[in-house]
Amino acid sequence: QVQLVESGGGLVQVGSSLKLSCTVSGFTLEDYAVGWFRQVPGKEREGLGCIKSPDSHRYIKDSWKDRFTITSDDAKKTIYLQMNNLKPEDTADYFCATSWWSGPCLPLDHQYDYWGQGTQVTVDS
């Protein structure tokens, strides 16, 4: 059974850093893409970036390239979203998702089949 569990969210101050984790089980990371998404209640979910094993191809949308990084530890079956210089507008629920993927990954939420329950990030100004 495919499962994804996010962790690492919380309340932080403006300018802080936070590292979210997505621990997966029930499948091997090879040939699967793992994407990171976020959603503010009442707004559409937005894709932040993704990573795909085994070549560790990764993609971050331009809007966040200067502040967000995606890495993976395949041995721990965990994918990370490092967020730096957090701003109040980064306040949202953050989700990871996965799906079998051919070629370079993209954070297109409708193409991901399995989702975690999310972790909340609040950036206090």
Side-chain angles (χ1 to χ4, degrees), residues 95-111:
F95 301 86
C96 60
T98 191
S99 187
W100 185 87
W101 202 282
S102 176
C105 66
L106 289 170
L108 303 173
D109 61 353
H110 62 278
Q111 295 193 9

Side-chain angles (χ1 to χ4, degrees), residues 12 15-20 35-39 46-51 58-71 79-95 107 121 123:
V12 296
S16 298
S17 297
L18 205 57
K19 190 172 186 178
L20 305 183
W36 278 102
F37 303 82
R38 71 184 188 186
Q39 187 170 25
E46 54 184 348
L48 306 176
C50 57
I51 190 167
R58 65 199 71 191
Y59 172 83
I60 295 278
K61 282 189 173 179
D62 288 345
S63 302
W64 297 285
K65 272 184 178 178
D66 60 337
R67 299 192 295 123
F68 293 1
T69 304
I70 296 178
T71 58
I79 296 83
Y80 304 98
L81 176 66
Q82 175 70 45
M83 304 187 292
N84 300 323
N85 190 23
L86 284 163
K87 305 175 181 180
E89 51 265 41
D90 294 319
T91 296
D93 294 320
Y94 284 73
F95 301 86
V121 172
V123 183

